[in-house]
Amino acid sequence: MTAGDRPYHHGNLRQALVDAAVELAREGGPDAIVVREASRRVGVSHNAAYRHFPDRGALLEAVCDECMSALALLMEDRIAALGTSRSKRAVVLRLRATGQAYVEFALAEPGWFRTAFAVPPDRHYRLVTRDGRPGPYQILAAQLDGLVTAGVLPAERRPLAEIPAWAGVHGFAGLALDGPLRDASAQEREAGLTRLLDNIERGL
Amino acid sequence: MTAGDRPYHHGNLRQALVDAAVELAREGGPDAIVVREASRRVGVSHNAAYRHFPDRGALLEAVCDECMSALALLMEDRIAALGTSRSKRAVVLRLRATGQAYVEFALAEPGWFRTAFAVPPDRHYRLVTRDGRPGPYQILAAQLDGLVTAGVLPAERRPLAEIPAWAGVHGFAGLALDGPLRDASAQEREAGLTRLLDNIERGL
DNA sequence: TGTACATCAGTGAACGCGCGTTCACTGATGTAC
DNA sequence: TGTACATCAGTGAACGCGCGTTCACTGATGTAC
């Protein structure tokens, strides 16, 4: 074998295919995840993929998981950047950062964002990411728990609080990507997001 | 021509194709809109469509408009069913009905709902439907204006109020269709929606 | 340490499908005289 | 009222594409003896 040739066995073809498919999703969303193209990018024949995934849906599912994890990771980063103070002000700021991170991810990586929610219809939505770390929903829930602990949110209003919070930021992302805000300027979007977070906070 | 044969000229092929495509969208969302299948269903050769639409995108766009109109229509119906009283209670109930209708549409006709927001990327989101009637966003705006008139919402809080309201219901639809609520029971969804509407109301 | 052999992870070719779109054509319609 | 002809709205066949998936196959690897 001359230098530069790849060995016959790839070594970690499964992950390489997922990585390539993640890049496809980034560029074009879930529909852009195509077995043949992923194989092409890895430099392997297009049927080699079937040694590692029973069908295209399995590859798609793996990519969904990665996208969901990436979203969770950004949320955790943005929250962690604000420290761990239990003051009322701090817990509120961290809740806001949770929502801001969600929207930031959606706008920065719309392909991944869409893919994260393109879970095949025969599967359940997962609360936990594949590697067992908390998913976006659980991260949000933890922040809401923090509000209760800090005395910002009365305990009797805690149940179901995830719903308005998640719906708000998720819907805002839709507004900005595919809805009436999609031709808006960054300033307009920023103002809208601030108004949204204010309203969620008051509403809780 | 024997009885039962269709005439050579269809008469209103354009609308017939749109109708067929609307039905495709209902069954499978925007990706299910396929020129050949729509033609097939109308009973016409698949290239006849090109007498009426320059390309598939034009057909898709026409269907988007119809879906958006259908959503607007349901919202108007649900609002109208609550009468025209200007009492504080009435304007609030109508705002809630606006959001409820939005979610009702999304859950009852997910294919249409998704298609409504699948406007091709090179086009602007329309506030007004093709026939000039108000679109969902304008209907919502009118309800919010009603809140101000009735003295429920202070005028200085009116600007941008569409954002949290729309984002909330739009996001709730996403939650229920593709998110953590998609395996929830009807009761759970109902409770979640009530909580959401409460929060939007308080937040405004 | 060396060798036979089972097993695993790739390859190349092909099947069958459905799509969007274009071409040259024809049947139907309506208008000018 | 009748007829020639332009125009419009369809048809049938074909092009070219890319996809998911399967088949029989081969090269590489590792294990038993």
Side-chain angles (χ1 to χ4, degrees), chain B residues 8-10 13 44-47 51-52:
Chain B
Y8 188 86
H9 285 100
H10 182 281
L13 182 53
V44 93
S45 72
H46 56 262
N47 43 0
R51 294 282 160 201
H52 302 276

Side-chain angles (χ1 to χ4, degrees), chain B residues 98-115:
Chain B
T98 308
Q100 280 162 334
Y102 193 95
V103 171
E104 179 188 349
F105 184 84
L107 298 187
E109 298 294 352
W112 284 348
F113 181 71
R114 287 187 226 275
T115 305

Side-chain angles (χ1 to χ4, degrees), chain A residues 8-9 13 45 47 51-52:
Chain A
Y8 188 87
H9 285 100
L13 182 52
S45 73
N47 44 359
R51 293 284 160 200
H52 302 276

Side-chain angles (χ1 to χ4, degrees), chain A residues 51 57 66 122 175:
Chain A
R51 293 284 160 200
E66 298 255 328
D122 54 326
L175 226 67

Side-chain angles (χ1 to χ4, degrees), chain A residues 51-103:
Chain A
R51 293 284 160 200
H52 302 276
F53 301 94
D55 55 23
R56 176 186 177 274
L59 175 59
L60 170 59
E61 199 194 343
V63 178
C64 289
D65 282 348
E66 298 255 328
C67 291
M68 204 53 101
S69 294
L71 170 56
L73 217 62
L74 183 71
M75 291 168 73
E76 286 187 324
D77 273 7
R78 294 290 179 266
I79 292 167
L82 294 181
T84 56
S85 160
R86 303 267 188 114
S87 74
K88 294 193 178 193
R89 181 179 148 74
V91 295
V92 167
L93 281 180
R94 285 203 295 272
L95 176 67
R96 291 181 78 100
T98 308
Q100 280 162 336
Y102 193 94
V103 171

Side-chain angles (χ1 to χ4, degrees), chain A residues 7 12 17 24 26 31 51 55 65 79 86 99 103 107 123 125 130 133-135 137-138 144 155-156 177 186 188 194:
Chain A
N12 197 358
L17 286 168
L24 292 174
R26 182 181 209 168
D31 292 348
R51 293 284 160 200
D55 55 23
D65 282 348
I79 292 167
R86 303 267 188 114
V103 171
L107 297 187
R123 310 208 102 82
Y125 177 90
R130 179 170 232 101
R133 309 191 49 192
Y137 199 76
Q138 291 193 324
L144 291 168
E156 71 270 17
L177 291 178
E188 289 174 301
T194 300

